[in-house]
Each structure stands twice: as C-alpha cells, then as structure tokens.
Amino acid sequence: MTVSARLALAEPGSPGEHRGRASDLRAMAAASACLGTVGTLVLLSRQVAPPIIGYAGALAVGGALVSLLLWRPVALTARTVLLVAAAAHMLALFGHTVFEDDYYRFLWDGWRVLEAGTPYGVPPAQFIDDPALPPAWQAVLEWINYPELPTIYGPALQAVFAALAAVAGTDPLGLRLAFAAAALGLTALVLRRHDPGRAALFAWNPLVVAESTLHLHPDILMALALFAGLVAGRRHPIAAGAFLGLAAGIKIVALAAWPLLLRLRPRALATAVAVLGALYLPFALQGQGIGFETTATFATDWYFNPLAFEPLLWLLGPGIGRLAALLLAGLLVLRLHARARDIDSVPLAAIFGAILLFAPAVNAWYLLWLLPFALDRREVWPYAASAALPLSYLTGLNLELYELDGFALHPLAQLAEWVVIGVALGFELWRHRNRGQPAAAAPTPLAAPHLAVVIPAYNEEASVGATVRGIRDAAPPGLAAIFVADNASSDATAAVAAAAGAHVVPAPERGYGAACLAALAALDPGANVVLFMDADLSDVPEDAAALLAPIIAEEADLVIGSRTTGVIEPGAMTPPQRLGNWLAPTLVRLIWGVRYTDLGPFRAIRRDALDRLAMGDRDFGWTIEMQVRAAKLGLRIAERPVRYRKRVGQSKISGTVRGVIAAGWKILYVIAREAFGDFDRANARRAAAPPPRSPAILAAATSGSRP
C-alpha cells in the first residue's frame, strides 16, 4: 500500500495516521542519510589529503543509520527506491577513488586484452622499462598493486575491462558508469522479489554505493549475475545456469552458489559448466594460464582483517590453520545448502557469510556478495557488518602509523569489527533458537487408532507366516489389516502369508520401496496409523506396542524402532550394516540437526504424516528417505529401543557383497538427493498426481481373511 493510500484510510489523529507519518519520516531520513553520507564521502575524496578516520567513520555511521531507519517496515514505491539510489550513484560519479588502487589493475587488464588478447601469465612489472609502453599506460602501471603477480580476475571481468578500455581508455569514468549501472540493475531485480521498503535496505546502503561506484570494485557484477540467476530460477533453468556460470566467470567464489543448480533440471548445471568453460577457453588456448596461479598465491599467502580465521591461525599455524578454515567453511556451506527445502530458500547470504567468516582476507567490498540476499530473512548480521567493515580502511598505511605494517589493521578498529559482528551473530543465533524449527502442521487427533501393518516380502515362505501371526497377536486393539507385499517371490511366500491371514498385495516391481508403495496403495482409507516391519522374523512383534504408544498418545508422528539402543542378538547385524547404521544417521544429524540412532525397518507412522512425506524411493533408500523427509518437514519424531534377532534365511542386502555396496550407495545417494533436491516442488508434484491403485492391486487387497 502506498503512503497516500494508507493515510487516506487513517482517520486524522488516529494511531494509524501517526504510524504512517512516522514511517514517512523514517523513509525521508533514510534517504537523506544515504545521500548525505555519499555526498560527504565525495567531498572528502576530493581533498588533497582526505582524513581516513573521518572518511571511514562517515561510511560506517551512515550505513548504521540507514539500516536502523529502514529496519522496521516503511511505505515506499519502487520508483522512489530507484530514484534515490540513482541519485546516490550519480553523486558518487563526482568522487575520486582514494584509499583504494585496485582499479588500476582493471584498466591495465583491459588494455592488455586489447593489445595481446590475454592479461594472464605476464606480470605488469615486466613492462616497467618498456619504451614502447604509451605514457598514459605507463602512469597506470606505476599505481598497480602487486605488479610482480599476473592478474587474478576472471575472464568475464576481462571482457568488461577490455570493452571499457576500448571506450574510455585510462579514464576510470567508464568503470564508474558500468558499476553504477550494475548496482541499479541489481536494485531493479531486488525490487522484483521484495517490497520496496525492504529493497531500500540494500539499495540505499552507503557501502553498496561506495564500494561499487566510488571505490570501483567489480563484486557488484557478481552479485548482479547471481541474483539474476536466482530470479530466473525454476521457470528458466537454462538462464539460471547461464547467469551462475557468468557469476563464476566474474569471481570464482560464486561456485559456492552452484549447488542450488542441483535443485533445477540437469540442463541448468550443464549450462553453467558450458558458460564458464566458454569464458575461460579463449584465454586458455593462448597458453599463458587463466589466473589460477595468482589465485593459489592469494589462497596460501594473503592475510588481511580475518575474523574466525584469526584463532585458527593462532592455534594451528599458517598451513594447517588455512586447511582447517577451508574445511570448516566448506562443510558449513554444504550444510546450509542441504538444509534448504527449495531453490528459493537457499540462504546465499549465510553461505557467503560462512566463507567470509573463515577467510584469511576480508575486505568491505566482499559484502556486496551477500547483502542483496540478506533481505530474504531480514538478517541482522550482514547489515551490522556493513557498518563495521568500513573500519577495515584504518590500516597502518592509510593512518600513516609507521609502527604498524602497511596493511595491518589498527587493533582498535579490528576489535570494534569483532564486537559489532559478534554481537550481531549472537543475536541471530538467539533469535533462531527462540524461533525454533518451523512447526509441522497440527495433527488431527486420533479419536480411534486404526492400524495397518505393511510387511514387504521376497522369498520369505519360511518366516512370513510366523511374522503375520506374531504381529496379529501382539498388535493393540484397532488393527485394521495386515498387508504382505509379495515382491515377485519365486517361492510360496504369497500362499503362506494368505494362509496366516494377511492380505497379499502383488508387487511385481522388485525393490523394498516398490513393495511398500504397492501395499500403501491398497490400504483402507480409514487406516490412520501404519506399522512397517520385515518378514524375516528379525523384528520382534511384541515390540510393536512400544512403537505405537507415542503415536496413539499423540506424542509423535513417526516412531523408529532403534536396534542400536535396544538389544541386538549376536550375529544379527554384519559390520557393514553397523557402519552404515552409524554413518547415515550421523550425516542426517550434521545436515538437518535431527538425531537418529538407527535406520531400522521396524517403525510406525501416522497416515497423514506419511502422506505428507510423498514417499517415492523404490528400493534400499526407503527408510532413509522417510527419516530425512520427516526431519525436513519438522515432524514429531521419537525412537524406542527394540530387539533384533538373526533373520530366517539369507539377507538379500547384507547377505551379499553386491547387496551391501548397492544399499550403501543408494542410502548416500538419497541423502545427497534430499539435501540438494527441490523437496517442496517434488512433494507438490507427487501430491497432485498420486500413484493409481490398479484393479489388480485392489482385487488382491480384498482377498484373504481380515485378522
């Protein structure tokens, strides 16, 4: 609702009118703070000797003020957001780039691409005494930092630098205009996904204006490409892949966002790989490298303004500390990707924040990677960081404090950064803990439990009859039916099960999950609790009551029979089974934060909860799929200790090397698929098109006697 419409609905003097006026005042103050901060930076930058403390302080205070004024919702229009942002970037065009010299490298790289076809492989220092070098480019060369190293910047940036060098030569105005246009283009995309009042939190942030248009850092181009890929998303997977490939061609750190492509159709990832390869190929063919040698130098040697990397360095030393930081950041990035339910909920701000948290070098402009993505959850810490990291300009060189190393940050500035960012992260953790996991939908009370037992069976004639009779005798009141899914047995499994009183459902497609799905398709609609167990007498039917009790008492939606916490008969589980039973629950706990101790087949679940899981695995991944999806949906999960006996006959999985390998691979595959798949979309698709109940299955389900 616009400001005028909202005020029209409020009576004069009403609380709504007062709130509307306060919102308008905060919006005006935020716009003024943005423009005032940028104007101050421009004026200071044009001085002969700009005061670095005043410059960094203005940027920090302005960022904090704009964020505070806009944190509570304000009523704005998209046009107003764009106009104020455009005015801020236009102001920045008149500034001088001080305290930063990276842009000289950009100018040089562009010229080298035009002259030699590639900027890679040859360091600028080789041209210092070259008499053929034009005077204008000699002046640029004198200001390049680390001239002894070849360029580190990606091929997509080299194309931009070359185009700007061809048009503007050594004038940085070309870079200013390009980066300002990118920032405004990103603002327009942000406005497509967010309310204008929220979008202004990014668009009016003085750090966004300063680090793109005033300080001339190309990170805004990577943010633009990433956000465009996110907007393209599911509807245009090829475009999404192309934009993410382009983002990695701008800065290789964009690869941290690539796992979200796994949530799209395969052609999205293929397109990203193709685009990135096409960007690097023309430079690679020239045989002078593609910048990775300098990237390796950066990764192993550079050190500036670290955050969590600092204690790792103290504790473990440079080599092991960097390796530990890389592993911790990588694991955190993968976990954040895996916990997202779909592409729209991938927390890119937190993902890039994890990288910066453990990075050995942290600059203020790196925040451009994540600020536009922090709007999704209204995360505090990125905007707190945008007010703190401008203090990273307070180095020994800029402060002219010669007792400090040139690129060493003043200790008080570093302490202030740590305090502000640490408090913001602590607040986020506190808020997340209080908010907790999204609660599952409130279950319908079980007025009367109607239990259906599902027993998949393949060549179990020696044990299936005793299993059926055992669960019939042990089940509490309310047992509706026992379904044995005959998984194309070649023996008398079906006949023995029917004689014992089970409904026999033919499941011609081989596979544990396929058998379970066939039985579920035949269940009576009135069955509201489902119990799964094996047909080989390894599960003890008398333990069923313990599994069903929490569901009947409405304390749980899913109850797993835990053999690990129960009693396992000697020889009942093989070493590979025990290893898999430890590894898979450990991975689930690391990724989704839900603690399981077992993948046991003996389990009970509410029928409505089972329907929400939209189970689809056809073979060995059935049990882990159920447990992972229950964790992702926030179901109430419990475990109860059960006994586990030696099975009758030979196991089809643990009894053969091939079965062990196939089952282990499938379990890991299902965990990866559920981690990086688009669960919400798949769930909706399955719910919209449930598997049909064939006449053959229906006929079989009504055969046999009801126990």
Side-chain angles (χ1 to χ4, degrees), residues 22-373:
S23 171
D24 294 341
L25 289 173
R26 284 191 291 111
M28 292 174 60
S32 300
C34 171
L35 296 173
T37 300
V38 174
T40 300
L41 297 177
V42 169
L43 290 175
L44 291 174
S45 73
R46 297 181 68 88
Q47 295 183 14
V48 175
I52 181 58
I53 294 179
Y55 190 90
L59 185 54
V61 172
L65 186 58
V66 171
S67 298
L68 288 171
L69 288 168
L70 293 176
W71 195 253
R72 292 177 58 194
V74 295
L76 288 168
T77 65
R79 182 180 179 182
T80 301
V81 173
L82 278 171
L83 284 175
V84 172
H89 286 280
M90 188 176 296
L91 266 177
L93 292 176
F94 295 96
H96 292 165
T97 302
V98 292
F99 310 118
E100 279 299 323
D101 52 14
D102 286 351
Y103 74 95
Y104 289 105
R105 174 77 75 161
F106 309 156
L107 298 173
W108 177 264
D109 281 1
W111 182 71
R112 289 299 301 156
V113 172
L114 294 176
E115 289 291 306
T118 179
Y120 298 116
V122 180
Q126 289 192 13
F127 296 87
I128 290 177
D129 297 321
D130 188 349
L133 189 65
W137 291 104
Q138 184 70 49
V140 169
L141 177 59
E142 291 176 359
W143 289 94
I144 293 176
N145 56 21
Y146 300 103
E148 70 280 4
L149 295 175
T151 187
I152 196 175
Y153 298 103
L157 284 179
Q158 301 303 337
V160 173
F161 298 157
L164 295 176
V167 174
T170 61
D171 191 341
L173 181 61
L175 292 170
R176 292 193 196 285
L177 290 171
F179 297 165
L184 293 175
L186 179 53
T187 297
L189 288 179
V190 169
L191 285 165
R192 291 186 59 180
R193 287 175 62 93
H194 296 290
D195 175 84
R198 181 174 294 187
L201 193 61
F202 163 77
W204 296 358
N205 190 311
L207 182 132
V208 173
V209 180
E211 297 300 349
S212 55
T213 307
L214 187 55
H215 298 166
L216 297 178
H217 288 291
D219 301 71
I220 194 69
L221 297 176
M222 187 189 91
L224 174 61
L226 284 175
F227 207 93
L230 205 62
V231 170
R234 295 186 207 149
R235 296 182 61 185
H236 307 287
I238 292 179
F243 281 123
L244 265 72
L246 177 62
I250 295 170
K251 285 210 164 185
I252 202 68
V253 71
L255 290 175
W258 275 32
L260 69 80
L261 292 171
L262 298 174
R263 302 176 185 277
L264 304 175
R265 295 177 182 174
R267 59 176 178 261
L269 181 58
T271 301
V273 173
V275 167
L276 185 59
L279 290 170
Y280 273 110
L281 184 61
F283 298 104
L285 291 176
Q286 298 182 62
Q288 296 195 40
I290 50 178
F292 287 168
E293 64 276 13
T294 306
T295 302
T297 301
F298 174 85
T300 56
D301 296 337
W302 289 10
Y303 173 87
F304 173 72
N305 189 31
L307 299 174
F309 176 74
E310 188 84 34
L312 292 176
L313 181 66
W314 292 340
L315 291 172
L316 304 175
I320 298 178
R322 286 178 185 267
L323 180 60
L326 178 64
L327 291 174
L328 288 170
L331 289 173
L332 191 51
V333 165
L334 290 176
R335 186 173 190 264
L336 289 166
H337 269 292
R339 289 174 67 89
R341 289 164 60 98
D342 56 30
I343 185 174
D344 296 319
S345 61
V346 173
L348 287 179
I351 286 167
F352 288 115
I355 293 173
L356 295 186
L357 183 64
F358 290 101
V362 179
N363 291 294
W365 56 89
Y366 293 167
L367 289 176
L368 296 178
W369 305 348
L370 55 89
L371 284 175
F373 306 106

Side-chain angles (χ1 to χ4, degrees), residues 443-452 474-479 528-531 543-559 604-607 636 638 640:
T444 305
L446 291 175
H450 294 281
L451 171 67
L479 178 61
N528 53 19
V529 181
V530 182
L531 179 74
D543 290 337
L547 301 183
L548 295 167
I551 294 179
I552 294 172
E554 298 179 21
E555 297 171 353
D557 303 308
L558 169 65
V559 183
I605 185 170
R606 288 178 58 119
R607 178 74 175 277
R636 300 172 301 166
R640 292 294 183 268

Side-chain angles (χ1 to χ4, degrees), residues 554-612:
E554 298 179 21
E555 297 171 353
D557 303 308
L558 169 65
V559 183
I560 308 294
S562 173
R563 300 165 295 183
T564 304
T565 60
V567 178
I568 302 175
E569 185 176 287
M573 290 185 71
T574 64
Q577 279 181 295
R578 292 179 182 272
L579 175 62
N581 227 36
W582 167 82
L583 178 60
T586 299
L587 291 174
V588 172
R589 186 175 186 182
L590 288 173
I591 296 171
W592 291 284
V594 175
R595 184 177 184 272
Y596 291 114
T597 64
D598 198 359
L599 303 179
F602 205 11
R603 56 187 59 202
I605 185 170
R606 288 178 58 119
R607 178 74 175 277
D608 53 1
L610 181 60
D611 291 341
R612 292 180 60 209

